[in-house]
Amino acid sequence: MPDKPVLIMGSAPNVTACAAWPRSQFSAIVAINNAWQVRPDWTHHIAPDDFPEARAPKALKPGQIRVRSSSYVPANNRYGGVLYAGGTMAFTAGYWALAALKPSAMVFVGCDMIYASNKPTHFYGTGTADPLRDDISLRNLEAKSARLLLHAAAQGCACLRADTPESRLLFPPATAEALAAQAALPDPEAFQSAKERENKLAYHVPSGRYWESAAAFAPDKLDALDTLWLAALAA
C-alpha cells in the first residue's frame, strides 16, 4: 500500500504558504534547490549536479538526506528517462519520489512554473526560470505534467498542487477530498499506448544527460508524444 502523502517544495513565492502545514500530514518533505530554506523539517534535498554548493544545506539533521543525480537519474529511468519526463527539477523530483518513497499522493507547492515579469519570481527574490529555457525536453510543460500524473496514478499515487490561480501543472488542487481519494488511471489503454510509443521511439539516455545527444531527437516526434500524453489524461 502507498505511504502517506509527500510534500514537494519548489521555489516560487507561494511556497512559503506551506511553511506552517503540519508535518504529521506527510511521510516526507522534499525540498528542490533553495526550497530547503522554507521550513527546517524537510527530509530530502534534491538538486541538479550544477547546483552551487554554497547554496546547499550546510548541515544535515537526523533523518535528512541529500538526493543527487546518482539516485534520481536511475529513478527517472524506471519511468522512461529524464528526456521523456521533462528535464526540470519539479518533474525529476516527482519521479524520484514515486520510485523511492511510494507515496499515496504528491503535493507540489511552488512548482507552478508561472513567472511574473514585474515582481519576485522566487521566494528568495528573482531567479532564473529554468523550466522556460530552450530545452528539447520542455516543449510542452502541461504534457509533461500529464505524463507524471498518469505514471503516478498507475501506482496508486495522486498528483496534486497548491490551489493557485495559475499553473502549468495539470494537477487538481490538494483538497482534503483529493488527498483521501484513491488515484486511478482514466484510460489504461491510452496510458499504455503512450508508453509503447516512447519505447518504439527509443529516445533513452541512461546517464540522464540527454542534452548531449539533443541533435539525435526529432522535436516533431516529441511533440507527437506530448499530444498522446495530453490525450491520455483527457480520455
Side-chain angles (χ1 to χ4, degrees):
M1 291 292 291
D3 206 336
K4 289 195 300 184
V6 164
L7 175 62
I8 299 180
M9 303 188 300
S11 293
N14 69 303
V15 71
T16 57
C18 77
W21 291 3
R23 174 66 179 84
S24 60
Q25 293 182 345
F26 304 101
S27 60
I29 298 178
V30 180
I32 300 171
N33 295 340
N34 296 284
W36 62 272
Q37 302 171 44
V38 173
R39 52 187 297 167
D41 57 351
W42 56 270
T43 58
H44 300 81
H45 176 254
I46 185 168
D49 290 340
D50 61 359
F51 185 74
E53 192 63 26
R55 290 159 57 186
K58 300 300 184 292
L60 301 183
K61 298 177 182 177
Q64 292 183 329
I65 299 171
R66 291 185 65 184
V67 180
R68 303 176 189 271
S69 63
S70 58
S71 294
Y72 64 68
V73 168
N76 274 248
N77 286 343
R78 289 178 53 180
Y79 300 94
V82 180
L83 173 66
Y84 290 148
T88 195
M89 288 307 297
F91 299 136
T92 295
Y95 286 104
W96 172 81
L98 271 183
L101 305 179
K102 298 177 174 56
S104 60
M106 296 186 290
V107 181
F108 290 78
V109 186
C111 300
D112 294 304
M113 306 183 200
I114 301 291
Y115 300 93
S117 59
N118 58 352
K119 56 185 178 181
T121 59
H122 296 68
F123 74 89
Y124 53 83
T126 300
T128 301
D130 176 81
L132 303 189
R133 72 189 189 278
D134 184 14
D135 186 287
I136 197 167
S137 78
L138 299 171
R139 294 168 63 82
N140 189 323
L141 295 175
E142 289 79 5
K144 298 306 184 190
S145 75
R147 183 184 188 276
L148 175 56
L149 184 155
L150 292 167
H151 274 279
Q155 64 180 64
C157 172
C159 281
L160 308 170
R161 63 175 178 85
D163 193 1
T164 53
E166 293 183 276
S167 182
R168 304 295 296 274
L169 302 179
L170 301 183
F171 306 159
T175 62
E177 292 77 13
L179 284 166
Q182 177 66 45
L185 281 170
D187 187 334
E189 290 187 5
F191 174 69
Q192 189 62 34
S193 177
K195 289 205 302 177
E196 288 174 357
R197 180 72 66 87
E198 288 185 348
N199 288 333
K200 185 175 181 180
L201 195 56
Y203 285 176
H204 301 299
V205 185
S207 70
R209 300 176 66 84
Y210 61 89
W211 56 90
E212 295 178 348
S213 306
F217 309 135
D220 60 328
K221 293 182 178 180
L222 290 172
D223 290 345
L225 274 177
D226 286 340
T227 299
L228 276 182
W229 284 113
L230 289 170
L233 180 60

